[in-house]
Amino acid sequence: MHLAEMRSLPQALAMLFRVLQAQLSALWLCLAPFSCRLRGALLPGRSPPLLEEGAGAPDGAEVPTVPTSVNYHFTRQCNYRCGFCFHTAKTSFVVPLEEARRGLAMLKEAGMEKINFSGGEPFLQERGEFVGKLVQFCKQELKLQSVSIVSNGSMIRERWFKRYGEYLDILAVSCDSFDEEVNVLIGRGQGNKNHIENLQRLRKWCRDYAVAFKLNSVINRFNVDEDMNEQIEALNPIRWKVFQCLLIEGENTGEDALREAEKFMISDEDFERFLDRHREISCLVPESNQKMRDSYLILDEYMRFLNCRNGRKEPSKSILDVGVEHAIKFSGFDEKMFLNRGGKYVWSKADMKLEWQFTEDPILQTLMCE
Ligand code: SF4
């Protein structure tokens, strides 16, 4: 129908709008694939998804899971006694250094880009020498993009930074409260050590030795009402991971557990309230219970993957005995959940170019704070 034949201006405009809409849709369908690829290429530190939807393996073939980012809990021993701890001192075993290096090299071979050393307390073994040598090996020999440690911070000395700081990308320190009495209530402490004073010292050393500083907090019954805005802003971490207190059968709940964490638990609504109170902190990364259960690839002290999907830690065989590809099938790891929770971020200090404290580039800030 010609426009002139229409009875009213509104009818003519409606027709024009429909024609334009159809043409724009067609154009978008042509450009969409390029747009996705461009986005991946333009954002630094963002890799395309490891498994693209619908781009599976040839019929029936299994796509091996890639251990891109691994958390190696090489010791269960700790000098603190946090009441909600979900990786408790059930053994005192630590793989010998050479074996640990062999396992790490196997993981690198299978595609590992990031390693995080955790515990227990990683600095307890040989007063930090063990973890220092592993950090150096992973950076110098394996040339991993990112090497990080999660620690309660109480055993780290400045001489460690002098010796190993250059090989470490990120140090994450646990702190659940800026009220020392609450830390004592939780069990985050040992003797007269002041956890918060220690945190300030570590923050300074991270600046002095060019190590990115990250903060981890577990939100529980005793700190859920706290307002931490001021202190977090002053510490200025690259990332503030905020975890919801989690029950794991056999670790902090149940008959054979070493802790009873029930009294620390909070509801999802309580957790949301805490997050809402801190919504202005741009580097806050929330971790709900669901995200924590299946989006971490966890290796225990025997170098076995731990599957936490059923609410308890079920181990695979050791990668040292059966290889990475076989062991990882039992890890319960959800690669999509890992990517969804922002598991891939700017995790190498070389990429941060140590501008992470000062950058005003909004894209870079967003990426670093994922
Ligand atoms: S510092 Fe970490 S490993 Fe040690 S008891 Fe506390 S939660 Fe557990």
Side-chain angles (χ1 to χ4, degrees):
M1 182 167 39
H2 192 272
L3 285 180
E5 293 170 49
M6 289 186 182
R7 270 182 300 204
S8 66
L9 186 63
Q11 267 183 314
L13 285 175
M15 169 72 108
L16 205 60
F17 178 72
R18 275 199 296 276
V19 171
L20 278 174
Q21 197 180 29
Q23 295 202 342
L24 274 175
S25 301
L27 187 67
W28 171 244
L29 279 175
C30 296
L31 291 178
F34 298 107
S35 146
C36 294
R37 267 173 225 152
L38 254 182
R39 226 159 27 114
L42 286 177
L43 296 182
R46 279 269 169 93
S47 305
L50 300 176
L51 290 176
E52 284 183 18
E53 240 170 33
D59 290 347
E62 234 178 285
V63 180
T65 304
V66 178
T68 314
S69 172
V70 177
N71 294 279
Y72 177 22
H73 296 248
F74 65 83
T75 178
R76 281 178 170 268
Q77 298 294 307
C78 187
N79 58 326
Y80 278 14
R81 292 284 171 270
C82 307
F84 48 68
C85 181
F86 54 77
H87 204 72
T88 51
K90 300 197 104 175
T91 77
S92 56
F93 182 79
V94 177
V95 162
L97 189 65
E98 274 317 306
E99 281 295 88
R101 283 183 175 142
R102 181 165 76 89
L104 291 165
M106 290 163 71
L107 286 160
K108 159 82 186 192
E109 188 69 21
M112 177 170 70
E113 294 172 19
K114 178 185 191 296
I115 182 78
N116 177 51
F117 295 105
S118 187
E121 172 46 47
F123 285 82
L124 209 54
Q125 185 74 8
E126 299 171 18
R127 295 176 170 264
E129 281 301 299
F130 188 86
V131 73
K133 285 172 187 161
L134 290 183
V135 162
Q136 184 172 2
F137 173 73
C138 285
K139 200 46 133 181
Q140 219 170 30
E141 306 289 322
L142 300 184
K143 305 202 183 319
L144 293 187
Q145 284 178 23
S146 177
V147 181
S148 62
I149 303 178
V150 175
S151 163
N152 65 35
S154 63
M155 315 269 304
I156 311 177
R157 301 289 170 265
E158 189 174 5
R159 65 171 180 272
W160 192 94
F161 279 91
K162 281 190 181 141
R163 198 170 302 164
Y164 300 111
E166 65 177 297
Y167 309 113
L168 185 66
D169 290 283
I170 304 171
L171 176 68
V173 183
S174 319
C175 180
D176 306 322
S177 175
F178 292 92
D179 178 343
E180 196 56 23
E181 281 181 23
V182 174
N183 283 327
V184 173
L185 262 179
I186 289 171
R188 265 213 209 281
Q190 184 195 21
N192 293 329
K193 284 181 182 172
N194 185 308
H195 192 70
I196 299 158
E197 281 174 17
N198 200 37
L199 190 68
Q200 307 289 356
R201 246 193 317 270
L202 288 165
R203 180 68 189 96
K204 179 181 176 310
W205 288 337
C206 280
R207 264 197 199 105
D208 294 349
Y209 294 91
V211 173
F213 176 77
K214 184 176 155 184
L215 208 59
N216 285 355
S217 302
V218 179
I219 307 311
N220 61 80
R221 176 60 41 224
F222 298 96
N223 64 1
V224 68
D225 294 319
E226 198 168 322
D227 182 342
M228 305 184 186
N229 280 294
E230 211 177 295
Q231 293 90 341
I232 300 291
E233 266 173 33
L235 284 167
N236 190 22
I238 53 149
R239 221 163 136 88
W240 181 31
K241 275 270 184 101
V242 174
F243 300 91
Q244 184 179 357
C245 193
L246 176 70
L247 287 182
I248 296 276
E249 180 82 21
E251 294 283 350
N252 60 11
T253 186
E255 272 181 18
D256 51 344
L258 296 182
R259 300 279 198 284
E260 289 175 7
E262 282 80 2
K263 68 172 179 188
F264 290 91
M265 294 304 286
I266 55 169
S267 65
D268 292 351
E269 291 73 34
D270 286 341
F271 187 58
E272 285 302 323
R273 262 193 314 112
F274 182 91
L275 296 179
D276 193 47
R277 195 177 313 126
H278 298 90
R279 63 184 173 278
E280 301 296 323
I281 308 267
S282 58
C283 64
L284 189 160
V285 183
E287 297 272 315
S288 66
N289 286 352
Q290 183 60 35
K291 270 197 209 169
M292 285 165 73
R293 275 198 194 99
D294 22 344
S295 68
Y296 282 86
L297 206 44
I298 300 174
L299 209 58
D300 77 354
E301 67 276 20
Y302 297 98
M303 297 196 115
R304 306 176 301 186
F305 287 111
L306 294 181
N307 183 341
C308 303
R309 282 197 162 184
N310 298 325
R312 57 179 302 117
K313 291 178 170 171
E314 290 159 352
S316 69
K317 290 192 172 144
S318 173
I319 62 167
L320 296 169
D321 297 329
V322 298
V324 176
E325 197 178 315
H326 181 75
I328 208 168
K329 288 183 191 154
F330 301 90
S331 65
F333 176 60
D334 184 335
E335 215 160 15
K336 270 192 190 153
M337 183 70 107
F338 164 74
L339 291 166
N340 285 347
R341 77 164 164 81
K344 280 206 90 166
Y345 56 100
V346 177
W347 53 31
S348 161
K349 69 181 174 186
D351 292 339
M352 294 171 201
K353 299 196 186 351
L354 293 184
E355 287 161 7
W356 41 270
Q357 294 167 58
F358 313 108
T359 185
E360 286 176 1
D361 177 343
I363 294 181
L364 199 55
Q365 275 181 345
T366 312
L367 288 169
M368 290 187 308
C369 292
E370 267 183 330

